[in-house]
């Protein structure tokens, strides 16, 4: 299986030889970005590998094997040595803390369910790292994300990955047109992750069999509450668990332990009906629970929209699109009604359960693979 080579004079779309084309590869230390770097080096590109140290991998928050931790930096450096291209490690710990970790903690304290991987792409990898690539006089920056960049009539477009099971478009909706000009995603057209691993084995990479990272990089074992309590020691203030009809059902040890739609671990056993978290009332320190039907909603307010359509967002009163409100859910048909250039109301044609403030709402064309951007789900429904 070859990587994407459908481009003018070289596979990255530049009218010059690969040797004259410098490409910075963002290397996380995993198999995906390692294959991208190795393949481009094999094609003769002037490859420069860059790995970000996003947090102190010796600190309590770090997790062995997590993205951008100590083991991964070592693995990325080893791949660069094996394939014979330069590799640099950049200390972005302070930037990552200010731009991603602090907001993650504050969002949870405010009753939202944040997606730090999106903010990391938006505020660190596709911002500061991209500028670093330009400082290195690179022609472009390549990553191991499973998403496609296609040339349309009006310039580069963002499209879902060929492999729907690996598609990462939900996490990349905030990529701007200017960033898309500079970015390349050589894995997006591959049919499956097996093809990526086959390429890693073909190149003899030491990371060919390395497991995929599953959790948020700075959250050990998926325990969000423990991380937030460490970052914000006063976060676990107790409060009441209240039924939507007003009954007090129990006590909790901090709203940070709950998310919208949660059913298990509520600590209110002995009830006949299954109950779900339907609302978090931060000011009252209350967790509100109710029956499953209370989770359903058809109207979603969205703000901080990054619009990737050909015409301006406000050029129409309605856009008929599909949307994802969680990374693990399929797109649902919807109507987008703009309020401004960066805010809109989404009407789902069929109700969705567990829509939560702090999650992303990503826009897709109803038939096809193009991504029209997205925004952040806001309070108000």
């Amino acid at each position: 299986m070859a990587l994407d080579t459908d481009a003018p004079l070289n596979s990255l779309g530049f009218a010059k030889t690969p040797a004259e084309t410098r490409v910075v590869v963002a290397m996380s230390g995993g198999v995906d970005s390692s294959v991208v770097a190795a393949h481009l080096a094999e094609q003769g590109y002037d490859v420069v590998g860059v790995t970000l140290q996003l947090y102190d991998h010796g600190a309590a928050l770090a997790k062995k094997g997590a993205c951008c931790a100590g083991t991964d930096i070592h693995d990325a450096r080893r791949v660069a040595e094996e394939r014979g291209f330069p590799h640099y490690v950049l200390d972005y710990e302070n930037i990552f803390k200010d731009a991603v970790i602090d907001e993650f903690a504050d969002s949870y304290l405010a009753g939202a369910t944040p997606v730090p991987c999106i903010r990391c792409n938006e505020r660190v990898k596709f911002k500061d790292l991209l500028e670093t690539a330009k400082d290195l006089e690179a022609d472009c920056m390549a990553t191991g994300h499973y998403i496609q960049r296609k040339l349309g009539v009006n310039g580069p477009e963002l499209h879902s990955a060929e492999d729907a099971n690996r598609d990462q478009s939900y996490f990349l909706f905030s990529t701007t047109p200017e960033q898309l000009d500079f970015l390349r995603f050589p894995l997006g057209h591959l049919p499956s992750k097996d093809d990526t691993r086959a390429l890693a084995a073909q190149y003899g990479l030491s990371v060919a069999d390395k497991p995929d990272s599953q959790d948020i990089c700075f959250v050990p074992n998926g325990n969000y509450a423990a991380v937030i309590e460490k970052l914000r020691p006063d976060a676990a203030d107790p409060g009441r668990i209240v039924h939507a009809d007003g009954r007090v059902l129990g006590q909790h040890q901090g709203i940070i332990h709950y998310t919208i739609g949660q059913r298990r671990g509520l600590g209110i056993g002995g009830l006949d009906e299954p109950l779900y978290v339907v609302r978090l009332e931060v000011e009252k320190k209350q967790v509100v629970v109710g029956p499953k039907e209370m989770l359903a909603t058809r109207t979603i307010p969205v703000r901080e929209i990054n619009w990737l359509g050909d015409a301006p967002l406000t050029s129409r009163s309605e856009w008929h699109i599909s949307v994802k409100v969680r990374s693990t859910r399929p797109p649902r048909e919807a109507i987008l009604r703009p309020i401004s250039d960066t805010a809109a109301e989404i009407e789902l044609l069929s109700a969705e359960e567990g829509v939560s403030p702090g999650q992303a709402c990503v826009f897709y064309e109803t038939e096809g693979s193009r991504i029209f951007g997205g925004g952040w789900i806001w309070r108000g429904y």
Side-chain angles (χ1 to χ4, degrees):
M1 176 62 64
L3 293 192
D4 190 5
T5 56
D6 184 17
L9 294 184
N10 68 40
S11 64
L12 296 177
F14 296 100
K16 51 186 175 181
T17 66
E20 297 171 313
T21 307
R22 175 168 294 177
V23 51
V24 165
V25 179
M27 300 183 68
S28 67
V31 64
D32 299 324
S33 57
S34 296
V35 164
V36 168
H39 183 77
L40 293 175
E42 182 79 5
Q43 285 190 318
Y45 285 98
D46 179 11
V47 172
V48 178
V50 175
T51 301
L52 303 182
Q53 180 178 316
L54 297 181
Y55 52 85
D56 179 0
H57 53 78
L61 287 181
K63 172 187 174 183
K64 183 179 180 181
C67 168
C68 306
T71 302
D72 292 306
I73 292 172
H74 170 77
D75 288 343
R77 182 182 291 119
R78 184 176 175 184
V79 167
E81 291 173 351
E82 291 170 351
R83 304 305 301 180
F85 58 82
H87 174 259
Y88 302 97
V89 178
L90 304 180
D91 183 358
Y92 274 43
E93 186 176 344
N94 289 336
I95 293 172
F96 186 67
K97 182 179 184 301
D98 293 341
V100 180
I101 295 181
D102 284 344
E103 183 187 73
F104 170 83
D106 293 338
S107 294
Y108 254 102
L109 291 179
T113 308
V115 191
C117 297
I118 297 176
R119 289 302 196 192
C120 182
N121 290 325
E122 174 188 321
R123 297 177 175 179
V124 181
K125 293 177 181 175
F126 289 178
K127 183 183 177 186
D128 292 283
L129 178 55
L130 190 143
E131 289 304 316
T132 297
K134 291 180 178 179
D135 290 342
L136 292 171
E137 300 182 344
D139 294 283
C140 64
M141 186 173 86
T143 80
H145 289 107
Y146 286 86
I147 195 167
Q148 298 188 77
R149 174 190 184 272
K150 298 183 178 182
L151 290 178
V153 175
N154 296 297
E157 300 172 352
L158 207 58
H159 287 254
S160 299
E162 183 69 23
D163 180 4
N165 293 321
R166 303 295 303 180
D167 177 59
Q168 292 176 292
S169 58
Y170 184 85
F171 300 98
L172 297 169
F173 81 84
S174 60
T175 305
T176 66
E178 294 75 22
Q179 292 168 343
L180 199 53
D181 275 336
F182 195 71
L183 289 164
R184 301 292 188 274
F185 308 107
L187 300 182
H189 76 296
L190 293 181
S192 75
K193 180 62 176 271
D194 290 341
D195 297 294
T196 306
R197 292 199 180 276
L199 284 166
Q202 175 184 319
Y203 293 129
L205 301 184
S206 53
V207 296
D209 297 320
K210 185 174 180 178
D212 293 336
S213 177
Q214 300 295 326
D215 297 324
I216 295 171
C217 65
F218 59 91
V219 180
N221 305 314
N223 191 344
Y224 304 130
V227 171
I228 295 165
E229 286 187 68
K230 183 176 180 66
L231 294 168
R232 304 288 188 270
D234 58 347
D237 289 342
R240 301 188 300 176
I241 301 174
V242 181
H243 195 284
D245 64 14
R247 287 177 289 156
V248 177
L249 302 180
Q251 299 289 315
H252 65 76
Q253 297 303 311
I255 284 180
I256 59 173
H257 296 281
Y258 300 86
T259 57
I260 303 296
Q262 179 178 337
R263 179 185 175 187
R264 299 182 183 279
L266 300 182
I268 48 172
L271 299 172
D272 294 332
E273 60 174 333
L275 295 175
Y276 300 78
V277 176
V278 298
R279 192 167 65 254
L280 298 173
E281 297 181 346
V282 177
E283 295 79 9
K284 297 179 181 179
K285 300 179 181 178
Q286 286 188 162
V287 174
V288 181
V289 298
K292 188 175 183 179
E293 54 264 27
M294 289 191 68
L295 289 172
T297 184
R298 288 185 55 188
T299 303
I300 306 172
V302 179
R303 66 171 195 170
E304 293 184 56
I305 289 175
N306 176 56
W307 178 247
L308 296 175
D310 295 328
L313 177 62
T314 54
S315 64
R316 297 186 194 175
S317 60
E318 291 185 352
W319 295 85
H320 290 258
I321 59 172
S322 293
V323 301
K324 269 190 181 185
V325 294
R326 285 187 186 270
S327 62
T328 55
R329 295 184 183 177
R332 299 287 184 91
E333 287 194 53
I335 299 172
L336 183 158
R337 296 187 175 92
I339 297 172
S340 69
D341 290 336
T342 58
E345 183 177 89
I346 305 296
E347 179 188 345
L348 300 172
L349 300 194
S350 58
E352 183 82 27
E353 295 176 349
V355 177
S356 176
Q359 293 283 304
C361 180
V362 182
F363 312 149
Y364 299 82
E365 61 180 340
T366 53
E367 294 183 7
S369 61
R370 188 172 178 185
I371 298 137
F372 290 122
W376 295 95
I377 298 171
W378 189 234
R379 300 180 186 280
Y381 55 83

